[in-house]
Amino acid sequence: MSLIKKISSRFIQAKHSSNWPGLIEGYREWLPVNKNTPIITLKEGATPLIQVPSIQKVIGRGVKVFVKYDGLNPTGSFKDRGMTMAISKAKEEGCEAVICASTGNTSASAAAYAKRGGMKAFVLIPDGYVAQGKLAQALVYGAEVLAIKGNFDDALEIVQQMSNNYPITLVNSVNPYRIEGQKTAAFEIIDTLGEAPDWLCIPMGNAGNISAYWKGFEEYKNKGKSKKLPKMMGFQASGSAPLVFDKTINNPETIATAIRIGNPVNKVKAINAKEKSNGSFLDVTDEEIINAYKILGQEEGIFCEPASAASVAGLIKRAEEVPTNGTVVCVLTGNGLKDPDCAINNNNAVFHSGLESNIKTVANAIGF
Ligand SMILES: *Cc1c(COP(=O)(O)O)cnc(C)c1O
């Protein structure tokens, strides 16, 4: 093994050991922090990149497919990457309360990090459209939850005005520190693979994450950490695809509630990432999303939320365009446990209920 390889593999081992300090300390020189910044962390980041043979089989032609399993962050989604930065900077600036609009995961993450930093968190959610697990988290982490009779886009409008008019910091992805924290996922992919992938497949809601990944890939390449840049392949649910159809969607609908957004604030940045990378946007139906969700669960033992499965659904839909022998990374943005209703209603499991409690019945049921 070459010295460089040895060092980098040691680095990767360290990242996955219990010594990982969280992504701000892990990538300090790449982030806008200074010696006065209090680091509010739950040791987020350093999530696994897992090869997925069942998806590779679907794509064929020697293509290697990995998933970046960001559902293994402390509150179960990639939002923690942005939140450690946004909350640390808010603390540095002396802020005492934060506010956000959320389809669920931002509220869970904002609540956890705000509390850890000794701040209050107020979260606006669309009443009735937030997955159970996410709502449970916001409540447990002690946020003040405001459920409005409107969708995410309405909620974001309100919190933007709130932060302009009252002493409260906005921690949605319009907050530039969110993007800074989230770009570290691109660094981790290159640190693990040794090079950028050919394609990065990612679900898009407010489109902050695709913008963050692109920033990360560009920064690493500019500093010689990689030779190439990936094509940025963004996917939205068909009933909620403003970036694909290039128009605001007034009543977005999809089973993937995390990306049920009709008017993404990071639209310009996302289009820039697509154009500069020679990538593209496409929509996937709820059926295609659930198909990918089931393959990941049943064949790979990977449980993600439906919004996350949009990245894999999109890759499958674009299978013929992937370069032969190429490398693809699909971002799994959130943990499947977030949305138990979706899981219970969408699986192919065999479930025998109400059995008598004796060995004969059980053996019979199994088919012995
Ligand atoms: C927030 C979120 C998204 C969308 O990310 P954007 O930055 O808003 O595009 C996708 N999946 C999950 C699970 C999310 O929580």
Side-chain angles (χ1 to χ4, degrees):
M1 217 191 315
S2 74
L3 184 60
I4 299 273
K5 273 237 174 86
K6 253 189 220 152
I7 291 170
S8 83
S9 81
R10 214 175 291 150
F11 172 67
I12 291 157
Q13 267 172 18
K15 271 171 57 93
H16 288 284
S17 77
S18 55
N19 293 327
W20 173 245
L23 64 81
I24 296 182
E25 291 300 353
Y27 290 105
R28 183 173 256 277
E29 71 271 31
W30 302 85
L31 294 168
V33 288
N34 58 62
K35 60 181 189 330
N36 299 322
T37 313
I39 308 301
I40 314 298
T41 181
L42 288 161
K43 311 289 170 96
E44 57 296 311
T47 56
L49 192 65
I50 308 171
Q51 202 160 1
V52 282
S54 65
I55 309 295
Q56 291 180 168
K57 210 179 291 167
V58 177
I59 311 299
R61 294 181 295 107
V63 174
K64 284 201 191 75
V65 183
F66 298 84
V67 293
K68 178 67 172 159
Y69 194 13
D70 247 5
L72 290 186
N73 274 300
T75 78
S77 85
F78 77 84
K79 299 296 197 305
D80 295 343
R81 292 182 182 275
M83 215 51 81
T84 185
M85 272 300 305
I87 297 290
S88 296
K89 294 303 281 188
K91 186 80 184 168
E92 179 185 338
E93 286 153 19
C95 141
E96 287 170 9
V98 300
I99 193 165
C100 66
S102 179
T103 59
N105 282 333
T106 302
S107 63
S109 189
Y113 283 81
K115 282 306 161 111
R116 208 163 163 85
M119 283 174 253
K120 276 195 166 150
F122 298 92
V123 305
L124 261 74
I125 57 170
D127 203 356
Y129 285 91
V130 168
Q132 284 286 313
K134 304 177 189 183
L135 186 57
Q137 287 179 292
L139 299 172
V140 165
Y141 299 140
E144 210 161 314
V145 178
L146 303 120
I148 62 158
K149 294 178 188 155
N151 60 30
F152 171 85
D153 304 284
D154 303 323
L156 185 59
E157 184 82 36
I158 297 169
V159 295
Q160 282 183 301
Q161 286 174 21
M162 286 292 299
S163 72
N164 289 337
N165 290 297
Y166 300 95
I168 190 163
T169 300
L170 182 63
V171 293
N172 280 103
S173 57
V174 278
N175 178 323
Y177 298 122
R178 283 275 309 276
I179 306 287
E180 289 297 316
Q182 286 168 214
K183 76 185 179 188
T184 59
F187 298 165
E188 290 177 14
I189 289 172
I190 294 172
D191 288 338
T192 305
L193 294 177
E195 183 49 87
D198 295 295
W199 280 22
L200 185 93
C201 297
I202 185 167
M204 298 185 296
N206 229 355
N209 212 24
I210 189 172
S211 312
Y213 268 88
W214 180 243
K215 190 166 197 286
F217 284 125
E218 277 198 313
E219 287 183 9
Y220 246 31
K221 175 154 183 296
N222 290 342
K223 288 275 165 68
K225 291 266 199 177
S226 65
K227 293 198 184 64
K228 62 185 185 195
L229 289 163
K231 276 190 201 295
M232 302 299 283
M233 311 298 280
F235 300 100
Q236 298 195 293
S238 299
S240 177
L243 291 166
V244 178
F245 303 131
D246 193 23
K247 61 167 194 215
T248 298
I249 308 293
N250 289 322
N251 293 301
E253 275 309 336
T254 169
I255 192 168
T257 51
I259 51 172
R260 185 176 167 269
I261 294 175
N263 188 17
V265 280
N266 297 296
K267 179 178 167 174
V268 173
K269 284 192 202 119
I271 292 171
N272 173 61
K274 178 187 75 164
E275 289 179 352
K276 280 177 85 181
S277 74
N278 224 345
S280 80
F281 294 164
L282 186 69
D283 66 303
V284 285
T285 64
D286 281 6
E287 206 182 337
E288 289 165 332
I289 288 173
I290 291 301
N291 176 50
Y293 172 84
K294 286 183 182 172
I295 298 175
L296 288 166
Q298 286 168 196
E299 312 291 329
E300 303 288 358
I302 296 173
F303 188 19
C304 66
E305 61 176 289
S308 310
S311 63
V312 173
L315 169 63
I316 293 173
K317 205 163 181 172
R318 299 232 111 140
E320 287 171 11
E321 298 159 51
V322 188
T324 298
N325 298 320
T327 301
V328 178
V329 172
C330 295
V331 182
L332 297 185
T333 45
N335 195 302
L337 289 169
K338 296 269 193 176
D339 195 346
D341 292 326
C342 177
I344 285 165
N345 293 322
N346 297 281
N347 62 76
N348 303 335
V350 182
F351 182 17
H352 307 275
S353 62
L355 298 183
E356 291 302 326
S357 82
N358 59 61
I359 182 168
K360 189 160 174 279
T361 312
V362 171
N364 251 334
I366 294 174
F368 287 116

